[in-house]
Amino acid sequence: MKIPFNVNGLIVDAEYTKKEVNEIFIPLLKQLALLRKDKGSRVVAYLAAPPGAGKTTLSQLLEFLYKEQDLSYSFQSISIDGFHYKRKYLMNNWTEVCGKKKLLNSVKGSPESFDLVTLKERIRLLAKDEVTKWPMYDRKLHDVSEETIVVNAEIVLIEGNYLLLDEPGWKELKNIADVTVFIEAKEKSLKPRLVERKMLGGLSPTKAQAFYEQSDLRNVLRVLEHSSEPDIRLLLAENQEFKKL
């Protein structure tokens, strides 16, 4: 199955096998629908993963498959990327990395470059079954978009790198979710995907490689080594297929 998805302003062709769809993804969606039935109110699910593991396209595929299955309840997939601080803020504020003061824009994509307070508030609103506006990120602009979407579904799947990060502030998010999914992957299999993504965003091969070494690699290892235990764990294998652990 090959489907083009709009990922933060970039068109990405995502390809999945029938085995992945029938043995992993559809059973997961049925599990979410059953959870919504048992709970009697909105279900908030997390899909967390290191950068480059394909969580954004997978979340969009899950929404597509859910509607194809004609399951009960409405379903939306959304991303935390719209909670990045805006570029103006990133260019005028600093953080400390490994004992050194750095401009936030130089570590964009790290947990420190997110507006965690606002993100937490919005997820709590969703958990209370309220309708809320959700910000979006545009990879072509390399900034938070002025557009927002209305989130009002009965099952909401939130995807993001740091939703299960076991660090101060971030670790509080886990308690808000009804169910959590994490994608495992090896760093060496994520590197080419991340470099290619930066090139699609307009960087030269040299600059894309440098960005990986300076920023993406640190974030990949941080997620893989400092995320709390999920309810469901998937593996992105070296052949780029998903397996359930």
Side-chain angles (χ1 to χ4, degrees):
M1 174 183 288
K2 189 173 184 179
I3 310 173
F5 290 114
N6 186 320
V7 180
N8 296 333
L10 296 177
I11 301 301
V12 176
D13 286 326
E15 191 166 0
Y16 304 93
T17 65
K18 288 184 178 179
K19 184 175 182 179
E20 290 173 290
V21 171
N22 294 327
E23 296 184 11
I24 301 175
F25 305 149
I26 290 177
L28 172 60
L29 294 173
K30 289 181 177 179
Q31 181 179 343
L32 293 177
L34 182 60
L35 180 58
R36 168 62 184 80
K37 179 182 178 181
D38 292 342
K39 183 182 178 184
S41 60
R42 175 182 287 145
V43 165
V44 175
Y46 291 168
L47 176 61
K55 67 192 176 310
T56 304
T57 47
L58 177 56
S59 70
Q60 292 191 31
L61 173 75
L62 291 173
E63 182 172 340
F64 173 82
L65 290 175
Y66 191 94
K67 293 173 181 176
E68 269 203 337
Q69 292 301 302
D70 194 29
L71 295 167
S72 300
Y73 314 111
S74 53
F75 184 104
Q76 277 180 282
S77 65
I78 53 178
S79 170
I80 71 169
D81 285 351
F83 290 92
H84 274 95
Y85 287 116
K86 289 194 173 184
R87 180 174 174 81
K88 184 178 180 181
Y89 182 93
L90 295 174
M91 294 297 293
N92 289 279
N93 286 273
W94 301 76
T95 188
E96 188 173 299
V97 178
C98 299
K100 295 182 179 180
K101 189 177 180 183
K102 290 201 171 190
L103 190 66
L104 268 178
N105 195 61
S106 69
V107 294
K108 186 177 179 181
S110 70
E112 290 76 19
S113 67
F114 281 83
D115 181 357
L116 177 57
V117 172
T118 304
L119 172 62
K120 205 176 297 183
E121 289 173 353
R122 297 292 175 87
I123 296 179
R124 285 196 174 115
L125 286 176
L126 292 177
K128 293 177 182 177
D129 223 348
E130 297 189 25
V131 175
T132 185
K133 287 187 177 181
W134 198 264
M136 300 170 67
Y137 186 85
D138 192 322
R139 282 189 185 159
K140 288 184 178 179
L141 297 175
H142 303 292
D143 205 351
V144 177
S145 172
E146 294 302 319
E147 296 182 39
T148 60
I149 57 173
V150 175
V151 183
N152 56 11
E154 294 164 288
I155 299 172
V156 177
L157 176 68
I158 307 174
E159 61 91 356
N161 297 323
Y162 307 116
L163 289 167
L164 290 177
L165 192 64
D166 192 18
E167 294 184 8
W170 287 93
K171 62 183 178 182
E172 298 167 12
L173 291 176
K174 184 178 180 181
N175 296 328
I176 310 175
D178 296 293
V179 63
T180 58
V181 182
F182 185 81
I183 301 173
E184 281 278 2
K186 291 186 177 180
E187 180 270 326
K188 67 178 182 180
S189 67
L190 297 175
K191 180 178 178 178
R193 294 163 67 105
L194 287 163
V195 170
E196 180 183 11
R197 187 167 80 183
K198 286 301 175 184
M199 290 169 61
L200 286 173
L203 292 185
S204 68
T206 301
K207 288 185 177 180
Q209 175 76 24
F211 187 90
Y212 177 82
E213 300 295 339
Q214 296 167 13
S215 181
D216 280 337
L217 176 58
R218 186 185 300 115
N219 296 332
V220 165
L221 296 177
R222 193 167 175 180
V223 172
L224 290 176
E225 296 172 3
H226 299 282
S227 290
S228 58
E229 189 65 25
D231 299 307
I232 300 168
R233 189 177 290 271
L234 305 179
L235 170 68
L236 179 64
E238 291 187 27
N239 65 358
Q240 305 301 301
E241 291 183 14
F242 287 100
K243 301 179 185 299
K244 188 171 181 181
L245 296 177

